[in-house]
Amino acid sequence: MRADRRMLVDSHVNLHAEAFAEDRDAVVARARAAGIVRMIAVCARLSEMEEVVAAAAPYEDVFPTLGAHPHHAKDRPGVAADEIVALARDAGAVAIGETGLDFHYDHSPHPVQKEAFRKQIAIAKELQKPLVVHTRSAPQETLQILREEQAQDVGGIIHCFSEDAPFAAAALDLGFVSSFSGIVTFKKAVAVHEAALKQPADALLVETDAPYLAPMPKRGKRNEPAYVAYTAARIAELRGEDPEALAHTTYQNALRIFGIEE
Ligand SMILES: [Zn+2]
């Protein structure tokens, strides 16, 4: 398996992260050289919204999102929805999130996570933008809130997919496609392999979640958008598809879902 020059979108990178503070330009340049033609710079803390926007601003191929990760749902609970809506419009945010539920680490109390999730679904609906959903150890609760809040009105992405094929199918019924990260390149992630294999081609995205979760053969190193090529190649291998065709499909899916022009 090797990473070729193919057009790809990294659907989830934490470009504002401290890990990229020293060499962000070089990271973006390496991504472009590897055929990563669009990158989605994701926001995880309301206190970092401006930083995310600033990190994306110099690059015409990097598009920001705005939102609060469930870990940080308890930070700045008072931030007004209006403030997020206004900044999202201003900054040309392509999605709301990442938001969702993480009952694995439990860094914020469950009721606080749920409330922040519901609030961000409402914001996404107001803006008519897709949602970037993070879900860990809370599959049924995540689906329930998406259903109750009628999130299918805007749909979105289950990012860094780590559940199983039935979850992917249930999410897709609600208008949520699955974005696969380096996890799909790990040998032991059998449920994720199966999900990537069964996922309809038009509902498949790839991401790095960089600087975290580098795919094989870079596992353990700092991850960066260029490495999304390894993830796409592994999914093509699992599905027995031509790597270039699969890359092109995920590229088109990303442009469609994030509403980005070619
Ligand atoms: Zn996440």
Side-chain angles (χ1 to χ4, degrees):
M1 189 176 68
R2 65 200 174 94
D4 276 329
R5 282 171 160 271
R6 296 180 181 114
M7 291 223 298
L8 283 165
V9 176
D10 182 354
S11 294
H12 197 110
V13 50
N14 304 276
L15 198 64
H16 65 294
E18 189 60 38
F20 295 129
E22 299 292 316
D23 63 343
R24 197 172 288 119
D25 284 346
V27 166
V28 171
R30 276 198 295 275
R32 289 171 178 165
I36 318 308
V37 293
R38 300 282 187 280
M39 289 159 257
I40 309 297
V42 173
C43 180
R45 293 173 188 256
L46 297 182
S47 57
E48 289 178 350
M49 290 195 294
E50 288 83 3
E51 283 171 57
V52 172
V53 170
Y59 314 108
E60 59 181 11
D61 42 3
V62 179
F63 300 83
T65 77
L66 292 179
H69 191 285
H71 284 352
H72 312 301
K74 65 182 185 304
D75 305 347
R76 292 184 80 191
V79 68
D82 287 358
E83 199 185 315
I84 303 175
V85 169
L87 184 58
R89 288 209 168 105
D90 242 35
V94 293
I96 292 300
E98 59 183 306
T99 177
L101 302 175
D102 193 314
F103 293 174
H104 180 73
Y105 288 107
D106 273 343
H107 289 330
S108 286
H110 294 188
V112 176
Q113 292 191 33
K114 288 181 175 176
E115 201 200 316
F117 189 20
R118 289 184 197 275
K119 186 168 140 184
Q120 289 176 77
I121 295 172
I123 291 170
K125 287 167 73 175
E126 185 179 342
L127 288 163
Q128 284 297 299
K129 295 289 179 194
L131 284 149
V132 176
V133 174
H134 169 109
T135 181
R136 182 114 192 246
S137 304
Q140 293 318 317
E141 293 89 340
T142 298
L143 293 172
Q144 189 188 342
I145 289 181
L146 290 176
R147 217 174 278 124
E148 285 174 3
E149 300 298 328
Q150 296 171 347
Q152 71 268 30
D153 181 28
V154 289
I157 300 100
I158 304 294
H159 110 87
C160 195
F161 190 87
S162 59
E163 294 293 329
D164 55 15
F167 178 87
L172 190 53
D173 277 347
L174 296 169
F176 285 77
V177 306
S178 293
S179 179
F180 291 87
S181 67
I183 292 176
V184 79
T185 69
F186 302 164
K187 220 180 222 162
K188 288 184 180 163
V190 229
V192 175
H193 297 166
E194 195 197 342
L197 175 62
K198 289 190 171 164
Q199 187 73 352
D202 63 356
L204 193 62
L205 297 183
V206 286
E207 66 172 65
T208 55
D209 206 6
Y212 317 111
L213 272 174
M216 296 294 288
K218 304 282 183 184
R219 194 171 184 179
K221 300 214 170 75
R222 181 187 71 167
N223 198 2
E224 58 176 70
Y227 301 164
V228 79
Y230 294 110
T231 299
R234 176 64 180 135
I235 294 174
E237 188 179 68
L238 283 164
R239 293 167 69 96
E241 289 176 20
D242 172 56
E244 266 174 60
L246 182 106
H248 191 66
T249 303
T250 62
Y251 160 78
Q252 286 186 312
N253 292 344
L255 295 190
R256 184 186 79 239
I257 289 154
F258 290 107
I260 296 171
E261 288 184 13
E262 217 161 310

